[in-house]
Amino acid sequence: MLNSIDTDAVIRDGRVAGTFPGEIHQGVAWWVAACFVVVSQTSRIAVAHDGHSITGEFHRRFCRGAINAQHFSCQLADLGEANEDQLVHAMQALGNIPGALLSTTGDGGRQTVTIRLYDAEGQPLTEDTGLAKVREMIAADRVPIPVNDQAKGRITLRRDLVETT
């Protein structure tokens, strides 16, 4: 695995999180997304981010990982900038599909990037509902790759699902 991470330190407590740069890098988002699609056995997912400049590349890589997960041909609804409530509402509106929210916090020098994964009911993924499997797949370098170009999914911008408040 190129640019390995300490999976036990980064994938825990109901989230994927680490300081950037350092504990986490943008490639982790691709890995997490591909593994999440496979663990969820889903062909549809909703994704949102907080609009932070660092989050942008993590978001782009997450989207790419999700649509390239094995044979799932995952259709990704990109909500753009949204908060957790808006994400969960959009997940329900799309037919109770899994989702992810990416965010960055911290001061100017030390940033923490967080990826929160949600099941189809809008509940955060826990150790027992798939987070442990995602961590195990990444730790074992078993990140799923597409089987062929026909299995590749698609990204659709769905900012219309995010209510402005």
Side-chain angles (χ1 to χ4, degrees), residues 49-111:
H49 62 85
D50 65 354
H52 192 283
S53 60
I54 290 176
T55 309
E57 183 62 17
F58 281 85
H59 172 257
R60 188 183 77 74
R61 299 254 188 124
F62 188 96
C63 292
R64 292 304 212 196
I67 67 168
N68 282 294
Q70 280 182 338
H71 60 277
F72 286 90
S73 189
C74 188
Q75 304 303 304
L76 184 136
D78 182 355
L79 306 176
E81 190 173 338
N83 62 34
E84 182 180 41
D85 289 339
Q86 292 168 320
L87 169 66
V88 172
H89 174 74
M91 291 164 50
Q92 292 169 346
L94 291 165
N96 295 322
I97 64 172
L101 179 61
L102 290 80
S103 61
T104 301
T105 57
D107 58 34
R110 186 175 171 96
Q111 305 289 329

Side-chain angles (χ1 to χ4, degrees), residues 17-18 23 33 41 48 51 54 60 72-73 83 93 100-101 112 116 119 135 139 153 159-160:
E23 294 176 317
Q41 300 283 299
I54 290 176
R60 188 183 77 74
F72 286 90
S73 189
N83 62 34
L101 179 61
T112 299
R116 294 198 186 277
D119 66 18
R135 181 179 49 252
R159 291 186 177 97
D160 59 298

